[in-house]
């Protein structure tokens, strides 16, 4: 009917391909391992699903799971400083427990969209 309310907007829901690497884990620097990932943002949860191809380890650390999930609450995102990567349009995502990730796509439009979506998610869930 014309009076039915619209569902609430979901500003921080997004998915798409993105390249990702950990650079810090438990506050310690780890070796980069760029991987292409199907990346899903839902609420304050960011999920990286393994791309095509075989292999049992995903995201370093000898994990056998095909997915890796991080909680964005209390995190921060910004453009990565130049010394963190020679690539252009790289985001640096800092999350709890001393973890830092780099996110990158060749398509700067894609990276800009992710920047906005991640910022939206982080600010929307800042007080949880
Ligand atoms: O920060 P780094 O060590 O220069 O990162 C590069 C390395 O991870 C490199 O692999 P090797 O571990 O085989 O050297 C990667 O191929 C590069 O992509 C990494 O640098 P960029 O600047 O692309 O993030």
């Amino acid at each position: 009917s014309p009076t039915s309310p619209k569902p609430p907007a979901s500003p921080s829901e997004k998915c798409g391909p993105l390249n990702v690497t950990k650079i810090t884990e438990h506050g310690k620097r780890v070796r980069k391992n760029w991987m292409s990932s199907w990346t899903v943002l839902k609420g304050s949860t960011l999920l990286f699903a393994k791309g095509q191809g075989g292999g049992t380890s995903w995201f370093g650390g000898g994990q056998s799971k095909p997915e890796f999930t991080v909680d964005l609450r209390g995190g921060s995102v910004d453009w990565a400083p130049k010394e963190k990567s020679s690539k252009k349009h790289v985001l640096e995502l800092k999350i709890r427990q001393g973890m830092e990730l780099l996110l990158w796509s060749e398509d700067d439009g894609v990276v800009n969209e992710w920047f906005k979506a991640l910022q939206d998610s982080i600010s929307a869930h800042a007080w949880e």
Side-chain angles (χ1 to χ4, degrees):
S1 78
T3 56
S4 59
K6 283 183 179 156
S10 305
S12 49
E13 291 201 6
K14 179 172 175 56
C15 60
L18 208 51
N19 298 293
V20 56
T21 182
K22 255 184 216 172
I23 55 169
T24 305
E25 191 171 21
H26 305 302
K28 283 178 66 182
R29 189 135 185 195
V30 295
R31 189 173 178 176
K32 274 185 192 165
N33 182 23
W34 284 108
M35 307 201 67
S36 62
S37 167
W38 183 256
T39 306
V40 180
L41 173 64
K42 192 168 169 60
S44 63
T45 301
L46 187 65
L47 180 147
F48 302 101
K50 195 180 170 202
Q52 277 139 341
T56 50
S57 100
W58 161 236
F59 223 88
Q63 287 190 76
S64 57
K65 282 193 214 164
E67 296 179 346
F68 180 84
T69 301
V70 300
D71 183 350
L72 296 174
R73 286 176 296 177
S76 66
V77 63
D78 207 342
W79 296 107
K82 280 206 175 86
E83 62 270 21
K84 296 280 178 82
S85 179
S86 62
K87 301 180 195 305
K88 286 181 180 171
H89 319 299
V90 182
L91 298 177
E92 182 177 49
L93 178 63
K94 298 183 181 184
I95 47 189
R96 289 195 286 201
Q97 291 154 350
M99 188 183 287
E100 296 178 355
L101 308 173
L102 298 182
L103 307 173
W104 169 72
S105 166
E106 280 178 51
D107 184 334
D108 61 330
V110 165
V111 181
N112 274 292
E113 282 177 19
W114 276 105
F115 192 8
K116 189 177 181 313
L118 292 167
Q119 277 184 322
D120 285 353
S121 168
I122 288 167
S123 52
H125 299 276
W127 304 104
E128 288 174 17

